[in-house]
Amino acid sequence: MNTKGNKPARGRPKTMSRDHVLKIAVESYWADGPTGVSINEISRRAGVSKPGIYREFGNEDGLKQAALIAYQATILAPLVDVLTDDVPFGQALQALTDFVLLDHKAHGLPDGCLQVTMCRSKDDLGMLARQSADKFREQTLCGLEQWIERAKSKGQFASNIPSRTAALYIDAQIASAMELQKQGAAQDELEHVFKLALSVFS
Amino acid sequence: MNTKGNKPARGRPKTMSRDHVLKIAVESYWADGPTGVSINEISRRAGVSKPGIYREFGNEDGLKQAALIAYQATILAPLVDVLTDDVPFGQALQALTDFVLLDHKAHGLPDGCLQVTMCRSKDDLGMLARQSADKFREQTLCGLEQWIERAKSKGQFASNIPSRTAALYIDAQIASAMELQKQGAAQDELEHVFKLALSVFS
DNA sequence: AGCTTAAAATACTAACGGGTATTTATTTAT
DNA sequence: ATAAATAAATACCCGTTAGTATTTTAAGCT
């Protein structure tokens, strides 16, 4: 409803693309950390003036929140969907593994996970970004828990591990793998460690 | 050799206690993160002038390195020693678990682990602190690996998991637990998740 | 006393951070 | 043409940062 729809609008036409700035911001926070890059730097990288960014996103917290939400929607949502879709447990585990072992460099993406790093440096965040990070984390844990519950009821998850514990554990293993990846671990190390982690369920 | 030994010394006697500043620095970096507290703030907290800190530690990188090394020596060394001492495998695992489940708040210590957070924000660190963090990490991984090798040769580690993989895995589980702790997870959640993680070895 | 040594304390610099006031440019409506 | 509206761009404000130059203080030595 904003790209070119129906309003000729009144004043000077805007040339700044919100999506473009957002893309740069996601890349920047993802690659350099949510505290590792300033608004000055982002505006420079995006080729956009600083007041333009403030007009569009309000303040730094708003920009970080928007970037995080964009990241969640584009990168993480497919993964979460696997949990709510009714695919067999083993197949969902495979999707998790594929996600963790995806070769970011080969796809031109930064290593690591923005959601994880934002959760980890939560007290460097403003209210908006923190709330978005927390909310997504809770939803993910909840999704994992229900997914495990369903797998149990379908007899695809034989163990008697409490669902909440298993959910926390899987979440931690994914975060761990993302950190290993960012630290430059070899692909096969990542694979061996993650598969070892998942072996508690078999 | 410096505290009060033999030198009356020549100039104005120093009143600044290196140990005191170091203690404040460890606490500060531990609680607020290695990028979350400035030298200004540390000098304020320690009640010491900023040039005093620069005279003693050279620069920020030097202070961070000194703080990290002090942390490693006081907090982490006992844990690493368990690996090299020839205690039975199960007993060493118990020591690991005790370390992870130690109630930091009850002992007046910040949650989380400075070594872990410094490793994770490595590109905000100077050369010295980074090198010290890397070195300790390598030594730890090496220690874990050899410990597992010995346990295998003594028949206390039945699984056929490669030692390197198991070492990476255990290191990751400890780091994970420290992060969970810092995020305010309940003690029993921490315990259940960590014990689930260790269950891959039994 | 006066000189030397070395630490302490104050005051400073230059760069950079988040955020904004102000001016300039481009459009529609009259 | 001119006014109103809105975005872009420049230039700025103020606080904080890492790091340092300078001055003051407290000791020993002669």
Side-chain angles (χ1 to χ4, degrees):
Chain A
M1 67 178 73
N2 61 358
T3 38
K4 79 170 191 194
N6 35 17
K7 300 180 204 161
R10 189 69 181 291
R12 177 172 175 171
K14 80 188 299 178
T15 60
M16 192 191 67
S17 154
R18 182 187 166 93
D19 286 357
H20 174 243
V21 173
L22 218 35
K23 193 182 162 206
I24 300 290
V26 169
E27 283 176 14
S28 297
Y29 290 134
W30 191 353
D32 302 335
T35 62
V37 61
S38 67
I39 290 207
N40 284 327
E41 179 64 17
I42 288 178
S43 76
R44 213 187 49 74
R45 291 183 189 175
V48 165
S49 77
K50 188 160 57 159
I53 291 186
Y54 278 88
R55 201 175 335 109
E56 190 69 36
F57 299 98
N59 57 20
E60 193 182 30
D61 192 21
L63 177 61
K64 282 184 185 170
Q65 180 189 39
L68 177 57
I69 289 177
Y71 176 84
Q72 292 166 347
T74 58
I75 308 290
L76 263 26
L79 187 63
V80 177
D81 288 345
V82 172
L83 302 181
T84 56
D85 294 352
D86 248 344
V87 302
F89 184 71
Q91 194 174 322
L93 272 187
Q94 185 59 50
L96 252 53
T97 308
D98 290 345
F99 173 80
V100 159
L101 297 183
L102 188 116
D103 187 341
H104 286 200
K105 283 186 197 69
H107 289 74
L109 302 173
D111 276 334
C113 171
L114 183 57
Q115 166 73 20
V116 170
T117 57
M118 282 217 179
C119 273
R120 295 227 157 124
S121 59
K122 222 183 314 188
D123 41 39
D124 302 323
L125 263 39
M127 217 186 26
L128 298 176
R130 182 160 58 239
Q131 281 174 352
S132 293
D134 282 344
K135 188 176 162 197
F136 189 89
R137 172 116 206 282
E138 280 164 32
Q139 284 176 353
T140 302
L141 280 176
C142 192
L144 282 168
E145 206 171 329
Q146 291 170 352
W147 168 60
I148 292 165
E149 285 289 344
R150 284 201 312 279
K152 280 180 177 170
S153 76
K154 287 189 285 185
Q156 296 170 338
F157 188 93
S159 144
N160 57 352
I161 302 162
S163 301
R164 173 75 183 169
T165 301
L168 282 167
Y169 178 76
I170 292 176
D171 183 69
Q173 299 312 315
I174 296 173
S176 234
M178 292 292 96
E179 289 291 348
L180 260 185
Q181 180 188 76
K182 189 149 69 178
Q183 285 170 19
Q187 194 77 353
D188 63 323
E189 283 181 338
L190 213 60
E191 180 175 352
H192 293 149
V193 172
F194 191 71
K195 289 189 172 169
L196 175 56
L198 290 191
S199 74
V200 301
F201 299 129
S202 22
Chain B
M1 66 177 75
N2 61 356
T3 38
K4 79 172 190 192
N6 35 18
K7 299 180 205 164
R10 190 68 183 289
R12 178 173 176 171
K14 82 189 296 180
T15 59
M16 191 190 69
S17 153
R18 181 186 166 92
D19 286 358
H20 174 243
V21 173
L22 218 36
K23 192 183 163 207
I24 300 289
V26 170
E27 283 176 14
S28 297
Y29 289 134
W30 192 353
D32 303 334
T35 61
V37 60
S38 67
I39 290 207
N40 285 330
E41 179 64 17
I42 288 178
S43 76
R44 212 187 50 74
R45 291 183 189 177
V48 164
S49 76
K50 188 159 57 158
I53 291 186
Y54 278 88
R55 202 178 332 110
E56 189 69 36
F57 299 98
N59 58 20
E60 193 181 30
D61 191 22
L63 178 61
K64 282 185 184 170
Q65 181 189 39
L68 176 59
I69 289 176
Y71 176 86
Q72 292 166 348
T74 58
I75 308 290
L76 262 26
L79 186 65
V80 177
D81 289 345
V82 171
L83 302 181
T84 56
D85 294 351
D86 248 345
V87 302
F89 184 71
Q91 194 173 321
L93 272 188
Q94 185 59 50
L96 250 54
T97 307
D98 290 346
F99 173 80
V100 159
L101 297 183
L102 186 116
D103 187 341
H104 285 201
K105 283 187 198 67
H107 290 72
L109 302 173
D111 277 333
C113 170
L114 183 57
Q115 165 73 22
V116 170
T117 58
M118 282 217 180
C119 272
R120 294 224 159 126
S121 58
K122 221 182 317 186
D123 41 41
D124 302 322
L125 264 39
M127 216 186 25
L128 299 177
R130 181 161 58 238
Q131 281 174 352
S132 292
D134 282 344
K135 187 176 162 196
F136 189 90
R137 171 117 205 280
E138 279 164 34
Q139 285 176 351
T140 302
L141 280 176
C142 192
L144 282 168
E145 205 170 329
Q146 290 169 352
W147 167 61
I148 292 164
E149 285 289 346
R150 283 203 312 278
K152 279 181 178 171
S153 76
K154 286 189 284 185
Q156 296 169 337
F157 188 93
S159 144
N160 57 353
I161 300 162
S163 301
R164 173 76 184 170
T165 300
L168 282 167
Y169 178 76
I170 292 176
D171 183 70
Q173 299 312 315
I174 296 173
S176 231
M178 292 293 96
E179 289 291 346
L180 260 185
Q181 181 187 74
K182 190 149 70 177
Q183 284 171 19
Q187 194 78 355
D188 63 323
E189 283 181 339
L190 213 60
E191 179 175 353
H192 293 149
V193 171
F194 192 70
K195 289 188 173 170
L196 174 57
L198 290 191
S199 74
V200 300
F201 299 129
S202 21

